[in-house]
Amino acid sequence: MRILKVFHFCRHTMSVRRSRDDYEDFQDRGTEESAPPQSPPPPNNLDPGAHIEMSAAVSGVVPDDTFTVDQAVNALGFGKFQVKLSLITGLCWMADSMEMMILAILGPALHCDWHLSEWRQAFLTTAVFIGMMLSSAFWGHLSDKYGRKRSLRLAAVMLAYWGLLSAFAPTYSWIVLLRGLVGFAIGCVPQSVTLYAEFLPAHQRGKCVVLLDCFWAVGACAEVILALWVMPHLGWNGLLALSIIPLVLFVIVCEWLPESARFDATSGDSEKALATLQKIADENGKPMLLGRLIVDDVAQMNRGRIRDLLVQDLKWTTLLLWFIWASCAFCYYGVVLMTTELFEAPEGSLCTLSGADESFTCTANCRPLSSQDYLDLLLTTLAEFPGILFTIVVIERLGRKTTMAFEFVVFVVSIIFLFICTSSRGWLTYILFVARGIISGVFQAAYVYTPEVYPTSLRAVGVGTCSGMARFGAMLTPVVAQVLTRTSIHLATATYGIVAILAIAAALMLPIETRGRAMA
């Protein structure tokens, strides 16, 4: 077999030196003797990655002398390169987490300083999610068309700039506008997962993407600790200003962030893709694959089109994922916002929050978050770490779909206990701890599944639109968590439970399981 491969390679090398007529005669004789039949022309409806591979095959390239980006990434394994990439993209996640965690702290602070009603307080949170929802598909399209790295760097600069300006907002209207622009920039952050996943070997992708969420949990905890230290001395203005530190660091180290080799390959830039793969080989201490990367001009076609997510083969998957992401964000941010609302309530039975007839628009009626409130908020935030570990354990055993469904079930069971009126602050903290930990696990599983199910030409826009739907769900949740909760804690809890039950059905109805599946 080894001799036969060498013979094929030598025959292919000699053929390019012959005239066209002699070459065709030679090919005819070779075909009669041992060469496999030529493949038909590739159909036009293939995604760019498959189109490249087939078109290279019909051009006469010997299969043993070629490799794809996916084969190279799997062969080069997980090493120093992926560790550095984890740290860089992790900074991006920390920044996103800190900006989102601010919402749970900023609302009560402005409620006291500016005498905001609960509706205006809720709309401040909603404005951020509106910006994220409107921009997620935009950033996905930009990432698929011009590259993941360019989009992330641009968004990080915008996010740091608008985040800093928010600290100096003089009026309620200004801070709503600036936080909305912050949300617009945050809409690009999920593309860091797209970039990260495209550099991971298939058998380690699930665990690594879930572990990346550790940076989200670290960012959330860091924001609470920062608020505990800053709020008594510098107030919410200082908190907003200091929270952009991870963004500034990300912008600085972004110079070392590589562009996705898959993106370069499907864009027809084989030299750049090969250079990136060579860099992976050097840093991981592995030999680079020999041969030719399967890339040609056929890859120059439209990428990142939202309407392609709704073609016949992807439509049902896309619609179900949109609902799952919206439900997950609705429940996750609902728990985050309800936590500060419940901790802000007077001591005593949990039921006293229901039926509260105060508008709380007066400073005299305002109770700022205390040190104990921040410590309890930190405790519930730490729940994300057990959620990460739990998801790592089950996602490769149960698969992506079943993991999402199972964790939604646990979430429903946990929040049922909020129906029980209690005077125990510890019991309330424990319920919120479990609920937040398990719903964060659903988010992690969704972030693993979504990049795996879409092809390279649609991966960024697929993640982007799913993220946009998540922001739509998050945009609705302040009305329940910050307004309806003050009217009826039971009605608010039931709303989250019903949405989670519908999401269980949606997860089980997904037509594709991606566990162990190579990225297209």
Side-chain angles (χ1 to χ4, degrees):
M1 181 60 71
R2 179 74 176 178
I3 296 175
L4 183 59
K5 290 181 180 179
V6 173
F7 169 74
H8 279 300
F9 176 77
C10 293
R11 187 183 65 185
H12 174 70
T13 305
M14 293 171 58
S15 67
V16 298
R17 300 176 182 175
R18 296 174 180 265
S19 67
R20 183 178 181 85
D21 293 339
D22 290 341
Y23 175 75
E24 291 176 354
D25 292 340
F26 178 80
Q27 284 291 85
D28 291 340
R29 291 196 302 271
T31 302
E32 293 173 0
E33 294 171 4
S34 60
Q38 295 289 330
S39 302
N44 293 327
N45 60 351
L46 288 177
D47 84 272
H51 208 296
I52 292 169
E53 187 168 354
M54 290 190 67
S55 61
V58 301
S59 67
V61 178
V62 181
D64 288 341
D65 300 325
T66 64
F67 63 90
T68 64
V69 174
D70 189 68
Q71 290 170 340
V73 169
N74 284 317
L76 298 176
F78 187 95
K80 183 179 177 181
F81 176 88
Q82 282 79 11
V83 172
K84 290 171 61 176
L85 186 64
S86 300
L87 296 175
I88 296 174
T89 53
L91 272 176
C92 199
W93 272 107
M94 279 188 65
D96 184 5
S97 177
M98 292 177 73
E99 291 295 333
M100 298 311 299
M101 197 65 200
I102 284 175
L103 298 176
I105 301 168
L106 184 62
L110 291 179
H111 162 68
C112 293
D113 285 5
W114 289 356
H115 320 320
L116 299 182
S117 65
E118 12 338 336
W119 281 101
R120 300 184 78 187
Q121 182 181 340
F123 184 73
L124 176 61
T125 303
T126 299
V128 179
F129 292 126
I130 290 175
M132 297 166 75
M133 181 188 69
L134 295 178
S135 69
S136 293
F138 164 79
W139 289 114
H141 174 75
L142 212 66
S143 298
D144 273 332
K145 194 163 187 178
Y146 299 106
R148 285 74 158 119
K149 176 181 176 178
R150 289 181 181 178
S151 300
L152 284 169
R153 182 161 49 186
L154 175 61
V157 172
M158 295 168 62
L159 181 53
Y161 177 69
W162 286 326
L164 183 60
L165 286 183
S166 298
F168 303 98
T171 63
Y172 174 76
S173 299
W174 269 108
I175 199 167
V176 166
L177 173 63
L178 290 170
R179 297 312 293 178
L181 292 173
V182 165
F184 183 89
I186 291 177
C188 185
V189 172
Q191 300 311 325
S192 62
V193 177
T194 303
L195 175 64
Y196 183 60
E198 290 179 336
F199 280 113
L200 295 173
H203 65 283
Q204 292 171 314
R205 192 182 305 125
K207 293 180 180 179
C208 289
V209 172
V210 173
L211 282 172
L212 186 65
D213 200 64
C214 287
F215 289 95
W216 174 280
V218 169
C221 293
E223 187 64 29
V224 176
I225 295 172
L226 184 65
L228 179 62
W229 173 66
V230 170
M231 287 293 287
H233 306 290
L234 301 177
W236 60 268
N237 309 82
L239 181 64
L240 290 177
L242 292 174
S243 294
I244 69 168
I245 292 175
L247 285 168
V248 175
L249 293 176
F250 177 76
V251 172
I252 294 173
V253 301
C254 202
E255 186 63 31
W256 288 272
L257 186 68
E259 182 54 85
S260 167
R262 292 179 188 272
F263 170 80
D264 288 331
T266 57
S267 301
D269 195 345
S270 58
E271 292 185 2
K272 192 174 180 181
L274 279 170
T276 303
L277 293 173
Q278 184 63 57
K279 182 179 180 181
I280 299 174
D282 293 341
E283 295 197 16
N284 287 359
K286 297 288 184 68
M288 179 61 185
L289 274 66
L290 300 178
R292 176 187 172 191
L293 180 64
I294 303 179
V295 177
D296 57 25
D297 292 337
V298 179
Q300 298 293 342
M301 56 192 303
N302 291 325
R303 301 185 303 274
R305 297 187 301 190
I306 297 177
R307 66 175 179 268
D308 290 342
L309 297 174
L310 298 175
V311 297
Q312 188 62 36
D313 292 340
L314 291 175
K315 179 171 64 175
W316 190 234
T317 297
T318 297
L319 294 176
L320 288 172
L321 278 177
W322 284 353
F323 181 76
I324 291 169
W325 278 71
S327 302
C328 187
F330 180 79
C331 296
Y332 175 82
Y333 290 110
V335 172
V336 172
L337 296 175
M338 281 181 66
T339 300
T340 51
E341 289 295 320
L342 295 175
F343 287 168
E344 197 181 15
E347 291 291 336
S349 173
L350 179 62
C351 298
T352 59
L353 186 63
S354 305
D357 55 0
E358 297 285 352
S359 228
F360 297 110
T361 58
C362 165
T363 305
N365 290 331
C366 173
R367 190 185 75 84
L369 295 176
S370 65
S371 297
Q372 185 60 47
D373 293 330
Y374 284 118
L375 291 175
D376 288 341
L377 183 59
L378 176 62
L379 180 60
T380 58
T381 303
L382 289 172
E384 300 204 13
F385 290 102
I388 292 169
L389 295 176
F390 180 79
T391 304
I392 289 174
V393 170
V394 301
I395 196 166
E396 295 296 345
R397 298 182 181 182
L398 301 182
R400 282 59 162 145
K401 294 166 45 180
T402 308
T403 297
M404 287 188 283
F406 178 70
E407 289 182 329
F408 267 124
V409 170
V410 178
F411 173 76
V412 172
V413 173
S414 64
I415 64 170
I416 286 176
F417 288 97
L418 287 178
F419 281 93
I420 302 174
C421 297
T422 177
S423 59
S424 172
R425 177 71 170 260
W427 176 244
L428 174 61
T429 303
Y430 177 76
I431 294 172
L432 295 172
F433 181 93
V434 175
R436 179 162 176 174
I438 204 68
I439 197 62
S440 69
V442 183
F443 243 140
Q444 296 150 21
Y447 267 113
V448 173
Y449 180 88
T450 306
E452 290 180 335
V453 81
Y454 287 113
T456 301
S457 58
L458 296 173
R459 184 166 297 121
V461 74
V463 173
T465 54
C466 285
S467 177
M469 292 305 297
R471 309 316 177 185
F472 175 74
M475 183 181 68
L476 299 178
T477 206
V479 177
V480 179
Q482 294 178 314
V483 178
L484 186 59
T485 298
R486 291 188 177 274
T487 302
S488 171
I489 183 73
H490 296 142
L491 184 57
T493 302
T495 302
Y496 290 116
I498 292 171
V499 171
I501 290 172
L502 294 175
I504 294 169
L508 294 175
M509 292 168 63
L510 285 167
I512 302 172
E513 173 55 62
T514 62
R515 179 178 55 175
R517 182 173 179 255
M519 296 182 86

